[in-house]
Amino acid sequence: MRPAVRPRPAFRPGPQPAPRPRAPHSRSLIDAEALRVLHRAARALLDDLPALTDRLVSALREREPAYRAALDDDHPGVWQEAHRSLRHSVSSLLDPRGTRDSAHRCSWRIGVGRAEQGLPLDALLHAFRLGGSLVWQELVDVTSRSAPEDVRLLVHVAGDVWDFVDEHCTLVADAYRQTERRLAWRRENRLRLLAAALLDGTGRIADLPETAQALGLPEQGRYVVVAVAGERSAEAVRALLPPRVRAHWHTGPETDHGIVLVEDGVVPAPDQPPPGLRVGIGLPSGGLAGVGEARRLADTALRLCGDAGGTVRLDEHLPEALVVSCPELAGLLVERAFDPLARLEPAEADVLLDTLAAWLACDGSAQRASRGLYCHRNTVLNRLRRYEQLTGRSLSRPADLVEIALALTARRLGRQRPAS
C-alpha cells in the first residue's frame, strides 16, 4: 500500500538567480521630469524678463548701497546690464552648452565695466547673487502657480542653478581683478610719465592740471626738489623729511627725486641721512611749472655731497654750486690761480694750497690756521707770502681772493688739480 503522502524531495542547492538590478532609468526619469519642470518655468521667465529685470533693479536699489549711486547716474544702463545678465542666466537653464560662451562673455564684460567705473567688487558679487536668488525664487513661484505638485522636482536641479551662479561670480571676480590690475598699472605708468616730464622740464603747460591731480599736489604751490643717491631704500628716502610733509617721490636708476611742497615759507630739511646716503636740496621754485629748474638745482647740490654721504642744501653752498655748474670754467679758474705752482714739487705745491685753504677757512686768521696745520703762525704767513710771490697774486686784493677761493673749491671738489 502506498503512503498517502509522498515524502518531500530533498533540497538540492543549485545556481542562485542573480539579484535583480535596480531599474537604471529610475533616476533618469526623475531627472528628466525635473528638467521638464525647469524648462517650462524658465520659458515663462523669459517671457516675463522685463518685469523680472525691474524686480532685480528694485532689489539692488534697496539692498546694495553701492548700486544706488550707479542707478541715480545711469538707471537705463544698469537696467540693460541686469536684463542682459538675466537673459543669459535663464537661457543657460534651457541650453547650457549652446549659451555657455555668450553667458561667459556677458559676465566678463560686466566685471570689466564695473571695475573701470570703480564699483566695489563686493557690491558686484552681491548683485550677481541677488540675481541668482531672484531667478531661483521665480522658478519656484512660477511652478507653484502652474503645477504645485511639480515644485518638489525642482530640488533635483537646484544644484545646477546655484553652480551656475557660483561659476559666474568667480568669472566676474576674475575679470574685475584683472581689469583692476591693468588700470592700476596704467595709472602708475601715467603718473610716472607725468612726474618724469615735470622733473625733466619737458612737461606741457596743458598737462599741469592733470599732473597736479595725479600727484595730489597744488599746481600753484612753492616746491623744492630733493635729490637722493647712494645705498638707499624707499623707507629711508621717505624718512628723510619731517612727518606730514606733502611730497611725491620719483625713483630713478641712480637718483631718486622728491617733489616737496614748501608750506609757510619753510623748506623742509631732512634728518641726518644714514651712512652712504647722499642728499641734495635745491632752491624753492614757483609752482609745478618750475619743478624742472628746481630738479637741476637739486642735482647740483647732490654733486657737492662727499662719497661718505650727508646732506647739502644749495643755499648754503652757492660758491661751490657755481664751480660744479660749469666744469670747463672751473678748470680755467684753477689754471689761472695755481698754474704757476707747477714748477714746484707736487708735495710742496700741495702744502702751499692746503695752507691757503686752511687760512681761508679760518677767516684769514693765521693763528687759528696754524693750530689746525700743527705748525707755527709764522710758518703759515711764510707759506702765504710764498704763494703770492710765485703767482703774482695778492691775498689782500678782493678780486684775487675771490678767484683763489673759487679755485680752491674746484680743487677740493676734485674737478681739476694743479699741474705737476
Side-chain angles (χ1 to χ4, degrees), residues 224-227 267 280-284 294-295 297-299 301 312-315:
V224 67
V225 173
V226 178
V267 177
I281 304 176
L283 301 177
R295 179 260 177 103
L297 296 176
D299 288 343
V312 171
R313 300 184 59 149
L314 192 65
D315 58 354

Side-chain angles (χ1 to χ4, degrees), residues 120-347:
L121 177 58
D122 289 346
L124 181 58
L125 294 177
H126 187 201
F128 265 72
R129 293 190 180 100
L130 279 176
S133 298
L134 182 61
V135 168
W136 173 250
Q137 187 60 51
E138 288 297 316
L139 291 172
V140 173
D141 291 347
V142 167
T143 304
S144 297
R145 290 192 298 269
S146 61
E149 69 279 4
D150 291 339
V151 171
R152 59 184 177 81
L153 293 172
L154 289 177
V155 173
H156 298 285
V157 293
D160 296 333
V161 173
W162 287 107
D163 285 346
F164 178 89
V165 175
D166 289 341
E167 177 187 2
H168 281 257
C169 280
T170 300
L171 185 70
V172 77
D174 288 344
Y176 187 101
R177 293 189 181 102
Q178 286 189 29
T179 303
E180 200 173 37
R181 287 192 293 270
R182 175 174 56 82
L183 293 175
W185 178 86
R186 183 183 297 173
R187 285 192 298 268
E188 292 172 3
N189 192 52
R190 179 61 176 166
L191 177 61
R192 182 169 180 80
L193 290 175
L194 289 172
L198 202 64
L199 289 163
D200 291 342
T202 57
R204 301 183 306 170
I205 297 298
D207 291 336
L208 288 180
E210 178 188 358
T211 303
Q213 182 178 8
L215 270 58
L217 297 170
E219 182 181 347
Q220 299 302 328
R222 297 189 71 232
Y223 293 95
V224 67
V225 173
V226 178
V228 183
E231 298 179 1
R232 63 195 188 279
S233 65
E235 292 77 13
V237 169
R238 286 164 175 76
L240 292 174
L241 299 177
R244 297 183 298 277
V245 169
R246 297 175 63 184
H248 174 80
W249 287 96
H250 180 80
T251 58
E254 297 180 357
T255 305
D256 293 347
H257 293 92
I259 304 171
V260 183
L261 180 64
V262 178
E263 296 181 319
D264 301 326
V266 178
V267 177
D271 298 330
Q272 184 63 33
L277 196 68
R278 298 183 295 121
V279 181
I281 304 176
L283 301 177
S285 66
L288 289 178
V291 165
E293 177 63 17
R295 179 260 177 103
R296 187 184 67 80
L297 296 176
D299 288 343
T300 298
L302 185 65
R303 290 163 62 187
L304 298 176
C305 292
D307 293 336
T311 300
V312 171
R313 300 184 59 149
L314 192 65
D315 58 354
E316 298 174 355
H317 297 270
L318 293 179
E320 293 95 325
L322 288 172
V323 170
V324 299
S325 295
C326 190
E328 295 81 4
L329 293 180
L332 292 175
L333 197 61
V334 169
E335 285 185 18
R336 281 168 53 93
F338 304 141
D339 192 59
L341 303 183
R343 298 190 298 269
L344 303 177
E345 291 293 327

Side-chain angles (χ1 to χ4, degrees), residues 89-111:
S89 298
V90 177
S91 298
S92 294
L93 300 177
L94 297 169
D95 183 13
R97 292 184 180 179
T99 59
R100 177 182 174 84
D101 290 343
S102 60
H104 280 190
R105 286 194 297 271
C106 177
S107 294
W108 187 273
R109 285 195 296 268
I110 291 174

